[in-house]
Amino acid sequence: MDESRVTRRGLVLGSLTLMISGCVSGSQDGPPLGYNVFGRDPDNDSRLRRQEVAYDGGEPPGTIVVNTSERYLYFVEQGGRATRYGVAVGEEGLSFKGEATIGRKAEWPSWKPTDDMMQRKPRLMQYADGVPGGPLNPLGAAALYLYQDGHDTMFRLHGTNAPWSIGHAVSNGCIRLTNSNIVDLYSRAPVGTRVLVI
């Protein structure tokens, strides 16, 4: 994937999507008051920026660990290090917790809200037939599908067209990364990668 193209397209077209559709941004229907749609980049915030950090969690290299209370995803590296990404997590009661593996990967994935999502948030009924992959899709540039025992959990690690949500608990349960960060993680994590969500 061309990371520079993803970032530019995701920022411009994704911002337009926020203004016209509201997608799956949790209880908020758009950016917080005072947010500059074209100016805020979570990677400029040192707390949320992708960076290498010390890591002593005990998981083997190649494992993905998502700490939902910290709002960080760690890709465990060799030598007690990890790449840390800022993430948005599910609203209270909607987050996946436990162990899974990446069962499938997709670039510019299509998206369709689940029946549970539409029941909780009737405004999502407008997307009942699905949204094709591309910059206007709420799953962003890529998605890593979480499986347990060979079955899709319906939870994803995915990009977002709402970068302002990174660092918050606003999603319908999936883990969101900026489009540039999901592109980076997508390139590192093959199908079969172990994922631990705590």
Side-chain angles (χ1 to χ4, degrees), residues 104-107 109 139 141-145 156-159 182 186:
R104 184 166 83 86
K105 296 168 53 168
E107 296 180 20
L139 295 184
L144 306 174
Y145 296 73
R156 321 279 184 242
L157 307 176
H158 65 81
I182 194 61
Y186 186 98

Side-chain angles (χ1 to χ4, degrees), residues 21 62-63 66 119:
S21 73
T63 303
V66 180
Q119 186 174 12

Side-chain angles (χ1 to χ4, degrees), residues 26-37:
S27 58
Q28 295 176 308
D29 286 322
L33 203 54
Y35 170 79
N36 178 349
V37 173

Side-chain angles (χ1 to χ4, degrees), residues 33-34 37 68 73 96 102 111 128-129 140 153 167 173 181 185 188 197:
L33 203 54
V37 173
T68 57
L73 180 150
F96 170 85
I102 296 173
W111 172 78
D129 292 330
T153 65
N181 283 346
L185 185 62
R188 294 168 175 251
V197 182

